[in-house]
PDB file of all heavy atoms in Angstrom:
ATOM      1  N   ASP A 145    -165.972 -52.184  83.057  1.00 88.00           N
ATOM      2  CA  ASP A 145    -165.335 -50.893  83.345  1.00 88.00           C
ATOM      3  C   ASP A 145    -164.628 -50.358  82.106  1.00 88.00           C
ATOM      4  O   ASP A 145    -164.729 -49.171  81.788  1.00 88.00           O
ATOM      5  CB  ASP A 145    -164.323 -51.040  84.479  1.00 88.00           C
ATOM      6  CG  ASP A 145    -164.965 -51.279  85.821  1.00 88.00           C
ATOM      7  OD1 ASP A 145    -166.183 -51.033  85.949  1.00 88.00           O
ATOM      8  OD2 ASP A 145    -164.257 -51.723  86.747  1.00 88.00           O
ATOM      9  N   THR A 146    -163.912 -51.234  81.423  1.00 89.00           N
ATOM     10  CA  THR A 146    -163.179 -50.812  80.228  1.00 89.00           C
ATOM     11  C   THR A 146    -164.117 -50.278  79.163  1.00 89.00           C
ATOM     12  O   THR A 146    -163.818 -49.276  78.493  1.00 89.00           O
ATOM     13  CB  THR A 146    -162.357 -51.986  79.670  1.00 89.00           C
ATOM     14  OG1 THR A 146    -161.472 -52.488  80.695  1.00 89.00           O
ATOM     15  CG2 THR A 146    -161.526 -51.553  78.474  1.00 89.00           C
ATOM     16  N   ALA A 147    -165.281 -50.921  79.011  1.00 89.00           N
ATOM     17  CA  ALA A 147    -166.261 -50.441  78.034  1.00 89.00           C
ATOM     18  C   ALA A 147    -166.788 -49.062  78.425  1.00 89.00           C
ATOM     19  O   ALA A 147    -166.922 -48.169  77.572  1.00 89.00           O
ATOM     20  CB  ALA A 147    -167.411 -51.438  77.921  1.00 89.00           C
ATOM     21  N   VAL A 148    -167.098 -48.872  79.708  1.00 90.00           N
ATOM     22  CA  VAL A 148    -167.596 -47.574  80.175  1.00 90.00           C
ATOM     23  C   VAL A 148    -166.527 -46.500  79.984  1.00 90.00           C
ATOM     24  O   VAL A 148    -166.809 -45.377  79.540  1.00 90.00           O
ATOM     25  CB  VAL A 148    -168.015 -47.659  81.653  1.00 90.00           C
ATOM     26  CG1 VAL A 148    -168.394 -46.282  82.189  1.00 90.00           C
ATOM     27  CG2 VAL A 148    -169.183 -48.621  81.820  1.00 90.00           C
ATOM     28  N   ILE A 149    -165.287 -46.832  80.307  1.00 90.00           N
ATOM     29  CA  ILE A 149    -164.184 -45.886  80.164  1.00 90.00           C
ATOM     30  C   ILE A 149    -163.997 -45.510  78.699  1.00 90.00           C
ATOM     31  O   ILE A 149    -163.709 -44.350  78.368  1.00 90.00           O
ATOM     32  CB  ILE A 149    -162.898 -46.491  80.759  1.00 90.00           C
ATOM     33  CG1 ILE A 149    -163.027 -46.590  82.293  1.00 90.00           C
ATOM     34  CG2 ILE A 149    -161.670 -45.673  80.386  1.00 90.00           C
ATOM     35  CD1 ILE A 149    -161.954 -47.411  82.947  1.00 90.00           C
ATOM     36  N   ALA A 150    -164.175 -46.480  77.798  1.00 90.00           N
ATOM     37  CA  ALA A 150    -164.059 -46.196  76.365  1.00 90.00           C
ATOM     38  C   ALA A 150    -165.137 -45.208  75.917  1.00 90.00           C
ATOM     39  O   ALA A 150    -164.868 -44.302  75.112  1.00 90.00           O
ATOM     40  CB  ALA A 150    -164.160 -47.494  75.565  1.00 90.00           C
ATOM     41  N   VAL A 151    -166.349 -45.364  76.428  1.00 91.00           N
ATOM     42  CA  VAL A 151    -167.422 -44.421  76.099  1.00 91.00           C
ATOM     43  C   VAL A 151    -167.059 -43.023  76.582  1.00 91.00           C
ATOM     44  O   VAL A 151    -167.232 -42.029  75.863  1.00 91.00           O
ATOM     45  CB  VAL A 151    -168.759 -44.885  76.714  1.00 91.00           C
ATOM     46  CG1 VAL A 151    -169.827 -43.809  76.555  1.00 91.00           C
ATOM     47  CG2 VAL A 151    -169.225 -46.181  76.064  1.00 91.00           C
ATOM     48  N   CYS A 152    -166.542 -42.929  77.813  1.00 91.00           N
ATOM     49  CA  CYS A 152    -166.135 -41.628  78.345  1.00 91.00           C
ATOM     50  C   CYS A 152    -164.990 -41.030  77.528  1.00 91.00           C
ATOM     51  O   CYS A 152    -164.911 -39.810  77.350  1.00 91.00           O
ATOM     52  CB  CYS A 152    -165.730 -41.766  79.815  1.00 91.00           C
ATOM     53  SG  CYS A 152    -167.114 -42.136  80.916  1.00 91.00           S
ATOM     54  N   HIS A 153    -164.100 -41.889  77.029  1.00 91.00           N
ATOM     55  CA  HIS A 153    -162.998 -41.422  76.184  1.00 91.00           C
ATOM     56  C   HIS A 153    -163.548 -40.766  74.912  1.00 91.00           C
ATOM     57  O   HIS A 153    -163.106 -39.677  74.523  1.00 91.00           O
ATOM     58  CB  HIS A 153    -162.089 -42.606  75.833  1.00 91.00           C
ATOM     59  CG  HIS A 153    -160.864 -42.221  75.073  1.00 91.00           C
ATOM     60  ND1 HIS A 153    -159.597 -42.418  75.559  1.00 91.00           N
ATOM     61  CD2 HIS A 153    -160.698 -41.641  73.854  1.00 91.00           C
ATOM     62  CE1 HIS A 153    -158.708 -41.972  74.684  1.00 91.00           C
ATOM     63  NE2 HIS A 153    -159.357 -41.509  73.638  1.00 91.00           N
ATOM     64  N   VAL A 154    -164.506 -41.426  74.276  1.00 92.00           N
ATOM     65  CA  VAL A 154    -165.071 -40.899  73.032  1.00 92.00           C
ATOM     66  C   VAL A 154    -165.816 -39.587  73.297  1.00 92.00           C
ATOM     67  O   VAL A 154    -165.642 -38.597  72.566  1.00 92.00           O
ATOM     68  CB  VAL A 154    -166.018 -41.939  72.395  1.00 92.00           C
ATOM     69  CG1 VAL A 154    -166.756 -41.330  71.203  1.00 92.00           C
ATOM     70  CG2 VAL A 154    -165.223 -43.167  71.951  1.00 92.00           C
ATOM     71  N   LEU A 155    -166.646 -39.559  74.342  1.00 91.00           N
ATOM     72  CA  LEU A 155    -167.375 -38.327  74.667  1.00 91.00           C
ATOM     73  C   LEU A 155    -166.407 -37.199  75.028  1.00 91.00           C
ATOM     74  O   LEU A 155    -166.629 -36.037  74.672  1.00 91.00           O
ATOM     75  CB  LEU A 155    -168.342 -38.586  75.825  1.00 91.00           C
ATOM     76  CG  LEU A 155    -169.561 -39.448  75.501  1.00 91.00           C
ATOM     77  CD1 LEU A 155    -170.391 -39.677  76.756  1.00 91.00           C
ATOM     78  CD2 LEU A 155    -170.412 -38.821  74.412  1.00 91.00           C
ATOM     79  N   GLY A 156    -165.334 -37.551  75.737  1.00 91.00           N
ATOM     80  CA  GLY A 156    -164.336 -36.546  76.086  1.00 91.00           C
ATOM     81  C   GLY A 156    -163.619 -36.014  74.862  1.00 91.00           C
ATOM     82  O   GLY A 156    -163.327 -34.811  74.774  1.00 91.00           O
ATOM     83  N   LEU A 157    -163.335 -36.895  73.922  1.00 92.00           N
ATOM     84  CA  LEU A 157    -162.658 -36.458  72.691  1.00 92.00           C
ATOM     85  C   LEU A 157    -163.556 -35.524  71.877  1.00 92.00           C
ATOM     86  O   LEU A 157    -163.082 -34.521  71.318  1.00 92.00           O
ATOM     87  CB  LEU A 157    -162.258 -37.683  71.862  1.00 92.00           C
ATOM     88  CG  LEU A 157    -161.204 -37.474  70.781  1.00 92.00           C
ATOM     89  CD1 LEU A 157    -159.924 -36.896  71.369  1.00 92.00           C
ATOM     90  CD2 LEU A 157    -160.913 -38.795  70.068  1.00 92.00           C
ATOM     91  N   LEU A 158    -164.844 -35.836  71.806  1.00 93.00           N
ATOM     92  CA  LEU A 158    -165.779 -34.933  71.130  1.00 93.00           C
ATOM     93  C   LEU A 158    -165.828 -33.582  71.837  1.00 93.00           C
ATOM     94  O   LEU A 158    -165.865 -32.528  71.184  1.00 93.00           O
ATOM     95  CB  LEU A 158    -167.176 -35.562  71.099  1.00 93.00           C
ATOM     96  CG  LEU A 158    -167.345 -36.817  70.234  1.00 93.00           C
ATOM     97  CD1 LEU A 158    -168.740 -37.407  70.421  1.00 93.00           C
ATOM     98  CD2 LEU A 158    -167.090 -36.503  68.770  1.00 93.00           C
ATOM     99  N   PHE A 159    -165.811 -33.619  73.150  1.00 92.00           N
ATOM    100  CA  PHE A 159    -165.792 -32.397  73.952  1.00 92.00           C
ATOM    101  C   PHE A 159    -164.550 -31.570  73.611  1.00 92.00           C
ATOM    102  O   PHE A 159    -164.622 -30.358  73.428  1.00 92.00           O
ATOM    103  CB  PHE A 159    -165.801 -32.797  75.432  1.00 92.00           C
ATOM    104  CG  PHE A 159    -165.960 -31.660  76.389  1.00 92.00           C
ATOM    105  CD1 PHE A 159    -167.199 -31.109  76.641  1.00 92.00           C
ATOM    106  CD2 PHE A 159    -164.867 -31.154  77.072  1.00 92.00           C
ATOM    107  CE1 PHE A 159    -167.356 -30.065  77.541  1.00 92.00           C
ATOM    108  CE2 PHE A 159    -165.002 -30.109  77.971  1.00 92.00           C
ATOM    109  CZ  PHE A 159    -166.257 -29.563  78.207  1.00 92.00           C
ATOM    110  N   GLU A 160    -163.410 -32.254  73.516  1.00 93.00           N
ATOM    111  CA  GLU A 160    -162.154 -31.573  73.202  1.00 93.00           C
ATOM    112  C   GLU A 160    -162.190 -30.947  71.807  1.00 93.00           C
ATOM    113  O   GLU A 160    -161.723 -29.820  71.611  1.00 93.00           O
ATOM    114  CB  GLU A 160    -160.999 -32.567  73.293  1.00 93.00           C
ATOM    115  CG  GLU A 160    -160.682 -33.039  74.695  1.00 93.00           C
ATOM    116  CD  GLU A 160    -159.919 -31.997  75.475  1.00 93.00           C
ATOM    117  OE1 GLU A 160    -158.982 -31.403  74.917  1.00 93.00           O
ATOM    118  OE2 GLU A 160    -160.271 -31.769  76.646  1.00 93.00           O
ATOM    119  N   LEU A 161    -162.723 -31.657  70.841  1.00 94.00           N
ATOM    120  CA  LEU A 161    -162.762 -31.148  69.471  1.00 94.00           C
ATOM    121  C   LEU A 161    -163.526 -29.824  69.383  1.00 94.00           C
ATOM    122  O   LEU A 161    -163.105 -28.890  68.689  1.00 94.00           O
ATOM    123  CB  LEU A 161    -163.398 -32.189  68.550  1.00 94.00           C
ATOM    124  CG  LEU A 161    -162.543 -33.425  68.238  1.00 94.00           C
ATOM    125  CD1 LEU A 161    -163.382 -34.490  67.551  1.00 94.00           C
ATOM    126  CD2 LEU A 161    -161.343 -33.042  67.375  1.00 94.00           C
ATOM    127  N   VAL A 162    -164.639 -29.761  70.100  1.00 93.00           N
ATOM    128  CA  VAL A 162    -165.438 -28.537  70.067  1.00 93.00           C
ATOM    129  C   VAL A 162    -164.755 -27.415  70.842  1.00 93.00           C
ATOM    130  O   VAL A 162    -164.632 -26.277  70.364  1.00 93.00           O
ATOM    131  CB  VAL A 162    -166.847 -28.803  70.625  1.00 93.00           C
ATOM    132  CG1 VAL A 162    -167.650 -27.502  70.698  1.00 93.00           C
ATOM    133  CG2 VAL A 162    -167.583 -29.825  69.762  1.00 93.00           C
ATOM    134  N   LYS A 163    -164.289 -27.722  72.049  1.00 93.00           N
ATOM    135  CA  LYS A 163    -163.730 -26.673  72.910  1.00 93.00           C
ATOM    136  C   LYS A 163    -162.429 -26.106  72.344  1.00 93.00           C
ATOM    137  O   LYS A 163    -162.174 -24.901  72.444  1.00 93.00           O
ATOM    138  CB  LYS A 163    -163.509 -27.222  74.322  1.00 93.00           C
ATOM    139  CG  LYS A 163    -164.775 -27.698  75.007  1.00 93.00           C
ATOM    140  CD  LYS A 163    -165.753 -26.566  75.252  1.00 93.00           C
ATOM    141  CE  LYS A 163    -165.374 -25.752  76.448  1.00 93.00           C
ATOM    142  NZ  LYS A 163    -166.404 -24.743  76.811  1.00 93.00           N
ATOM    143  N   VAL A 164    -161.608 -26.958  71.747  1.00 93.00           N
ATOM    144  CA  VAL A 164    -160.366 -26.463  71.145  1.00 93.00           C
ATOM    145  C   VAL A 164    -160.674 -25.595  69.933  1.00 93.00           C
ATOM    146  O   VAL A 164    -160.042 -24.550  69.724  1.00 93.00           O
ATOM    147  CB  VAL A 164    -159.445 -27.645  70.773  1.00 93.00           C
ATOM    148  CG1 VAL A 164    -158.294 -27.184  69.885  1.00 93.00           C
ATOM    149  CG2 VAL A 164    -158.887 -28.300  72.040  1.00 93.00           C
ATOM    150  N   ARG A 165    -161.652 -25.993  69.158  1.00 92.00           N
ATOM    151  CA  ARG A 165    -162.025 -25.193  67.988  1.00 92.00           C
ATOM    152  C   ARG A 165    -162.532 -23.812  68.407  1.00 92.00           C
ATOM    153  O   ARG A 165    -162.308 -22.812  67.714  1.00 92.00           O
ATOM    154  CB  ARG A 165    -163.102 -25.925  67.180  1.00 92.00           C
ATOM    155  CG  ARG A 165    -163.519 -25.177  65.920  1.00 92.00           C
ATOM    156  CD  ARG A 165    -164.531 -25.970  65.122  1.00 92.00           C
ATOM    157  NE  ARG A 165    -164.937 -25.254  63.918  1.00 92.00           N
ATOM    158  CZ  ARG A 165    -164.275 -25.234  62.782  1.00 92.00           C
ATOM    159  NH1 ARG A 165    -163.133 -25.896  62.678  1.00 92.00           N
ATOM    160  NH2 ARG A 165    -164.726 -24.569  61.739  1.00 92.00           N
ATOM    161  N   LEU A 166    -163.191 -23.753  69.571  1.00 92.00           N
ATOM    162  CA  LEU A 166    -163.734 -22.483  70.059  1.00 92.00           C
ATOM    163  C   LEU A 166    -162.699 -21.674  70.838  1.00 92.00           C
ATOM    164  O   LEU A 166    -163.008 -20.589  71.319  1.00 92.00           O
ATOM    165  CB  LEU A 166    -164.966 -22.755  70.933  1.00 92.00           C
ATOM    166  CG  LEU A 166    -166.177 -23.334  70.193  1.00 92.00           C
ATOM    167  CD1 LEU A 166    -167.255 -23.739  71.180  1.00 92.00           C
ATOM    168  CD2 LEU A 166    -166.716 -22.329  69.184  1.00 92.00           C
ATOM    169  N   GLY A 167    -161.505 -22.238  71.001  1.00 91.00           N
ATOM    170  CA  GLY A 167    -160.423 -21.493  71.634  1.00 91.00           C
ATOM    171  C   GLY A 167    -160.390 -21.548  73.146  1.00 91.00           C
ATOM    172  O   GLY A 167    -159.697 -20.735  73.777  1.00 91.00           O
ATOM    173  N   SER A 168    -161.097 -22.490  73.766  1.00 92.00           N
ATOM    174  CA  SER A 168    -161.097 -22.576  75.233  1.00 92.00           C
ATOM    175  C   SER A 168    -159.727 -22.972  75.765  1.00 92.00           C
ATOM    176  O   SER A 168    -159.295 -22.497  76.810  1.00 92.00           O
ATOM    177  CB  SER A 168    -162.161 -23.575  75.697  1.00 92.00           C
ATOM    178  OG  SER A 168    -163.457 -23.137  75.331  1.00 92.00           O
ATOM    179  N   TRP A 169    -159.054 -23.867  75.090  1.00 93.00           N
ATOM    180  CA  TRP A 169    -157.674 -24.250  75.401  1.00 93.00           C
ATOM    181  C   TRP A 169    -157.047 -24.825  74.136  1.00 93.00           C
ATOM    182  O   TRP A 169    -157.706 -24.910  73.095  1.00 93.00           O
ATOM    183  CB  TRP A 169    -157.613 -25.258  76.561  1.00 93.00           C
ATOM    184  CG  TRP A 169    -158.430 -26.495  76.372  1.00 93.00           C
ATOM    185  CD1 TRP A 169    -158.113 -27.599  75.648  1.00 93.00           C
ATOM    186  CD2 TRP A 169    -159.728 -26.745  76.928  1.00 93.00           C
ATOM    187  NE1 TRP A 169    -159.114 -28.536  75.711  1.00 93.00           N
ATOM    188  CE2 TRP A 169    -160.122 -28.040  76.492  1.00 93.00           C
ATOM    189  CE3 TRP A 169    -160.590 -26.024  77.746  1.00 93.00           C
ATOM    190  CZ2 TRP A 169    -161.341 -28.609  76.862  1.00 93.00           C
ATOM    191  CZ3 TRP A 169    -161.808 -26.590  78.114  1.00 93.00           C
ATOM    192  CH2 TRP A 169    -162.165 -27.862  77.667  1.00 93.00           C
ATOM    193  N   SER A 170    -155.792 -25.207  74.206  1.00 93.00           N
ATOM    194  CA  SER A 170    -155.122 -25.667  72.991  1.00 93.00           C
ATOM    195  C   SER A 170    -154.041 -26.681  73.330  1.00 93.00           C
ATOM    196  O   SER A 170    -153.625 -26.821  74.486  1.00 93.00           O
ATOM    197  CB  SER A 170    -154.492 -24.481  72.244  1.00 93.00           C
ATOM    198  OG  SER A 170    -153.476 -23.871  73.033  1.00 93.00           O
ATOM    199  N   TYR A 171    -153.611 -27.374  72.289  1.00 94.00           N
ATOM    200  CA  TYR A 171    -152.480 -28.307  72.349  1.00 94.00           C
ATOM    201  C   TYR A 171    -151.433 -27.761  71.383  1.00 94.00           C
ATOM    202  O   TYR A 171    -151.476 -28.055  70.175  1.00 94.00           O
ATOM    203  CB  TYR A 171    -152.923 -29.710  71.954  1.00 94.00           C
ATOM    204  CG  TYR A 171    -153.928 -30.328  72.895  1.00 94.00           C
ATOM    205  CD1 TYR A 171    -155.290 -30.102  72.740  1.00 94.00           C
ATOM    206  CD2 TYR A 171    -153.513 -31.140  73.953  1.00 94.00           C
ATOM    207  CE1 TYR A 171    -156.221 -30.671  73.610  1.00 94.00           C
ATOM    208  CE2 TYR A 171    -154.430 -31.715  74.819  1.00 94.00           C
ATOM    209  CZ  TYR A 171    -155.774 -31.467  74.633  1.00 94.00           C
ATOM    210  OH  TYR A 171    -156.689 -32.034  75.500  1.00 94.00           O
ATOM    211  N   PRO A 172    -150.504 -26.973  71.872  1.00 91.00           N
ATOM    212  CA  PRO A 172    -149.628 -26.209  70.969  1.00 91.00           C
ATOM    213  C   PRO A 172    -148.575 -27.033  70.231  1.00 91.00           C
ATOM    214  O   PRO A 172    -148.026 -26.562  69.236  1.00 91.00           O
ATOM    215  CB  PRO A 172    -148.967 -25.199  71.913  1.00 91.00           C
ATOM    216  CG  PRO A 172    -149.020 -25.834  73.269  1.00 91.00           C
ATOM    217  CD  PRO A 172    -150.269 -26.644  73.294  1.00 91.00           C
ATOM    218  N   GLU A 173    -148.280 -28.246  70.673  1.00 91.00           N
ATOM    219  CA  GLU A 173    -147.209 -29.014  70.031  1.00 91.00           C
ATOM    220  C   GLU A 173    -147.731 -29.749  68.803  1.00 91.00           C
ATOM    221  O   GLU A 173    -148.924 -30.050  68.688  1.00 91.00           O
ATOM    222  CB  GLU A 173    -146.617 -30.007  71.039  1.00 91.00           C
ATOM    223  CG  GLU A 173    -145.994 -29.342  72.257  1.00 91.00           C
ATOM    224  CD  GLU A 173    -145.431 -30.349  73.241  1.00 91.00           C
ATOM    225  OE1 GLU A 173    -145.019 -31.440  72.795  1.00 91.00           O
ATOM    226  OE2 GLU A 173    -145.401 -30.056  74.450  1.00 91.00           O
ATOM    227  N   ASP A 174    -146.814 -30.069  67.895  1.00 92.00           N
ATOM    228  CA  ASP A 174    -147.160 -30.816  66.693  1.00 92.00           C
ATOM    229  C   ASP A 174    -147.238 -32.307  66.996  1.00 92.00           C
ATOM    230  O   ASP A 174    -146.598 -32.815  67.926  1.00 92.00           O
ATOM    231  CB  ASP A 174    -146.128 -30.579  65.592  1.00 92.00           C
ATOM    232  CG  ASP A 174    -146.127 -29.134  65.105  1.00 92.00           C
ATOM    233  OD1 ASP A 174    -147.222 -28.539  65.094  1.00 92.00           O
ATOM    234  OD2 ASP A 174    -145.047 -28.618  64.755  1.00 92.00           O
ATOM    235  N   ALA A 175    -148.023 -33.004  66.191  1.00 93.00           N
ATOM    236  CA  ALA A 175    -148.131 -34.466  66.333  1.00 93.00           C
ATOM    237  C   ALA A 175    -148.820 -35.031  65.101  1.00 93.00           C
ATOM    238  O   ALA A 175    -149.609 -34.338  64.434  1.00 93.00           O
ATOM    239  CB  ALA A 175    -148.912 -34.832  67.590  1.00 93.00           C
ATOM    240  N   LEU A 176    -148.512 -36.277  64.801  1.00 94.00           N
ATOM    241  CA  LEU A 176    -149.174 -36.955  63.689  1.00 94.00           C
ATOM    242  C   LEU A 176    -150.601 -37.327  64.042  1.00 94.00           C
ATOM    243  O   LEU A 176    -151.463 -37.428  63.168  1.00 94.00           O
ATOM    244  CB  LEU A 176    -148.386 -38.216  63.299  1.00 94.00           C
ATOM    245  CG  LEU A 176    -147.000 -37.991  62.687  1.00 94.00           C
ATOM    246  CD1 LEU A 176    -146.315 -39.332  62.457  1.00 94.00           C
ATOM    247  CD2 LEU A 176    -147.108 -37.213  61.388  1.00 94.00           C
ATOM    248  N   THR A 177    -150.851 -37.567  65.325  1.00 93.00           N
ATOM    249  CA  THR A 177    -152.155 -38.059  65.770  1.00 93.00           C
ATOM    250  C   THR A 177    -153.034 -36.922  66.289  1.00 93.00           C
ATOM    251  O   THR A 177    -153.744 -37.085  67.284  1.00 93.00           O
ATOM    252  CB  THR A 177    -151.973 -39.130  66.859  1.00 93.00           C
ATOM    253  OG1 THR A 177    -151.190 -38.573  67.935  1.00 93.00           O
ATOM    254  CG2 THR A 177    -151.284 -40.355  66.312  1.00 93.00           C
ATOM    255  N   LYS A 178    -152.981 -35.786  65.607  1.00 94.00           N
ATOM    256  CA  LYS A 178    -153.854 -34.668  65.949  1.00 94.00           C
ATOM    257  C   LYS A 178    -154.956 -34.538  64.910  1.00 94.00           C
ATOM    258  O   LYS A 178    -154.700 -34.628  63.704  1.00 94.00           O
ATOM    259  CB  LYS A 178    -153.068 -33.354  66.031  1.00 94.00           C
ATOM    260  CG  LYS A 178    -152.191 -33.235  67.258  1.00 94.00           C
ATOM    261  CD  LYS A 178    -151.442 -31.913  67.304  1.00 94.00           C
ATOM    262  CE  LYS A 178    -152.329 -30.766  67.677  1.00 94.00           C
ATOM    263  NZ  LYS A 178    -151.565 -29.515  67.886  1.00 94.00           N
ATOM    264  N   ILE A 179    -156.164 -34.356  65.381  1.00 93.00           N
ATOM    265  CA  ILE A 179    -157.318 -34.139  64.514  1.00 93.00           C
ATOM    266  C   ILE A 179    -157.947 -32.810  64.899  1.00 93.00           C
ATOM    267  O   ILE A 179    -158.367 -32.638  66.053  1.00 93.00           O
ATOM    268  CB  ILE A 179    -158.352 -35.273  64.655  1.00 93.00           C
ATOM    269  CG1 ILE A 179    -157.735 -36.611  64.264  1.00 93.00           C
ATOM    270  CG2 ILE A 179    -159.589 -34.983  63.805  1.00 93.00           C
ATOM    271  CD1 ILE A 179    -158.673 -37.789  64.453  1.00 93.00           C
TER     272      ILE A 179
END
Side-chain angles (χ1 to χ4, degrees):
D145 290 344
T146 303
V148 174
I149 291 168
V151 171
C152 291
H153 185 118
V154 172
L155 289 177
L157 198 57
L158 293 174
F159 187 80
E160 291 283 316
L161 287 169
V162 175
K163 299 296 281 187
V164 168
R165 182 177 180 82
L166 293 172
S168 297
W169 55 80
S170 63
Y171 296 87
E173 299 179 29
D174 294 326
L176 293 176
T177 56
K178 287 181 75 173
I179 299 177

